[in-house]
Amino acid sequence: MLIQSITLFPEMFDSITEYGVTGRARKQNFWQFKAINPRQFSDNKLGYIDDRPFGGGPGMIMQAPPLQAAIDEAKKNTTGNSKVIYLSPQGTLFNHQKSVELAQAESLILLCGRYEGIDERLLQHSVDEEISMGDFVVSGGELPAMMLMDAVLRLIPGVLGDIQSAEQDSFSDGLLDCPHYTKPLEFQGMTVPDVLRSGNHGLIAEWRLKQSLQRTLARRPDLLEKRSLIPKETRLLQEILAEQREIQS
Ligand SMILES: C[S@@+](CC[C@H](N)C(=O)[O-])C[C@H]1O[C@@H](n2cnc3c(N)ncnc32)[C@H](O)[C@@H]1O
């Protein structure tokens, strides 16, 4: 996969191209990265690509022509149809399902806004999709773009050492992940559930599934409403509800 980012701060992307799982995967050629700085398409000597908003008001707006030139440049590097995604607080909320969909793409172009945002005409003309990382505003699209990239890249086969670890993560099967423990056995007066040290893989798998269901019910009941349960999960959920009724009575 080729990911291209249109950004005023290409160096920020070092944190995803150089470090950790995504950095290793890039070095092993599972994905490639290219940053395109729209300043190189500025029409003035100082490299400005922003101007004051028509109608007045605070802040600056990124201009359409240099961003269009950057998108055109990015498209030259791709063979197929590369989706242009604008990271924006006004976009559709990002989630696991969207990361699965984007992981199928051969290339992506991620447009990172700054200042008060981008001239609306560029968005209408050249952006295929707007994606938000949540109902809050950050200063630029770079961190949201890197979050999207990380979530997408870890789904590409080979990027994670052990593909099972992505499959076991929260949301991948519509449930939150179960709790995890490692050494030491004792910490702050707390120990590790006996079952995890029993060596009985059937019991461990069932305990983990029950914990996942319990957590999802407590923290994200909306996920359970959207998901159909297999008979084993229905049985475990009934057990959980019965245990909860017993505690309350
Ligand atoms: C200060 S914000 C501009 C916010 C804009 N005035 C608005 O209220 O919609 C600058 C840039 O940060 C990025 N950004 C901010 N919050 C974001 C979020 N929740 N998700 C994705 N991108 C975001 C966008 O690229 C945006 O153009």
Side-chain angles (χ1 to χ4, degrees):
M1 178 186 274
L2 169 65
I3 300 185
Q4 299 186 86
S5 177
I6 295 171
T7 170
L8 291 173
F9 298 103
E11 297 80 9
M12 283 182 74
F13 287 84
D14 287 356
S15 48
I16 192 157
T17 58
E18 297 301 320
Y19 299 101
V21 161
T22 52
R24 189 188 59 219
R26 190 195 58 76
K27 288 167 199 160
Q28 291 173 343
N29 230 17
F30 283 106
W31 67 289
Q32 292 84 43
F33 179 74
K34 196 167 166 48
I36 298 176
N37 191 334
R39 280 199 202 289
Q40 70 186 93
F41 304 106
S42 165
D43 63 2
N44 61 73
K45 272 192 242 153
L46 296 172
Y48 291 136
I49 54 98
D50 56 307
D51 213 325
R52 302 200 68 76
F54 277 116
M60 304 295 272
I61 308 298
M62 293 177 91
Q63 296 169 294
L67 292 178
Q68 184 60 56
I71 291 171
D72 293 344
E73 179 73 17
K75 288 201 166 173
K76 281 189 210 156
N77 299 323
T78 66
T79 44
N81 215 356
S82 197
K83 220 178 206 186
V84 179
I85 296 172
Y86 172 42
L87 282 306
S88 160
Q90 299 180 27
T92 310
L93 279 181
F94 188 63
N95 61 18
H96 176 72
Q97 210 178 327
K98 179 54 78 176
S99 62
V100 172
E101 180 197 314
L102 296 179
Q104 312 301 317
E106 268 178 38
S107 80
L108 296 172
I109 298 171
L110 305 179
L111 178 58
C112 304
R114 280 272 155 181
Y115 316 121
E116 284 306 309
I118 292 178
D119 188 310
E120 186 66 21
R121 293 164 297 178
L122 184 278
L123 304 181
Q124 282 178 15
H125 184 259
S126 298
V127 165
D128 298 306
E129 195 169 347
E130 295 191 25
I131 293 182
S132 168
M133 282 298 140
D135 291 345
F136 49 81
V137 173
V138 292
S139 316
E142 287 77 9
L143 291 172
M146 283 189 269
M147 286 189 68
L148 179 149
M149 288 165 69
D150 193 312
V152 168
L153 290 168
R154 56 190 281 111
L155 298 177
I156 294 176
V159 166
L160 287 184
D162 181 355
I163 186 65
Q164 271 192 327
S165 45
E167 285 165 4
Q168 286 173 7
D169 281 341
S170 295
F171 308 112
S172 60
D173 69 350
L175 298 175
L176 299 183
D177 196 5
C178 63
H180 299 285
Y181 301 86
T182 186
K183 286 176 186 168
L185 187 57
E186 298 286 338
F187 173 71
Q188 297 285 325
M190 292 176 278
T191 188
V192 173
D194 286 341
V195 61
L196 296 178
R197 297 166 55 228
S198 68
N200 184 328
H201 295 293
L203 277 183
I204 292 172
E206 181 152 314
W207 180 87
R208 286 182 168 153
L209 178 59
K210 190 171 173 181
Q211 290 290 319
S212 279
L213 287 162
Q214 203 161 0
R215 288 211 151 178
T216 312
L217 180 67
R219 300 179 186 193
R220 292 292 307 274
D222 57 303
L223 294 177
L224 280 181
E225 279 158 27
K226 283 186 228 149
R227 188 177 182 279
S228 49
L229 301 181
I230 59 170
K232 189 180 186 180
E233 293 168 345
T234 308
R235 173 177 61 76
L236 290 171
L237 197 59
Q238 280 164 355
E239 268 180 42
I240 293 165
L241 293 170
E243 284 161 14
Q244 286 180 353
R245 278 195 297 272
E246 208 171 285
I247 292 168
Q248 280 159 10
S249 65

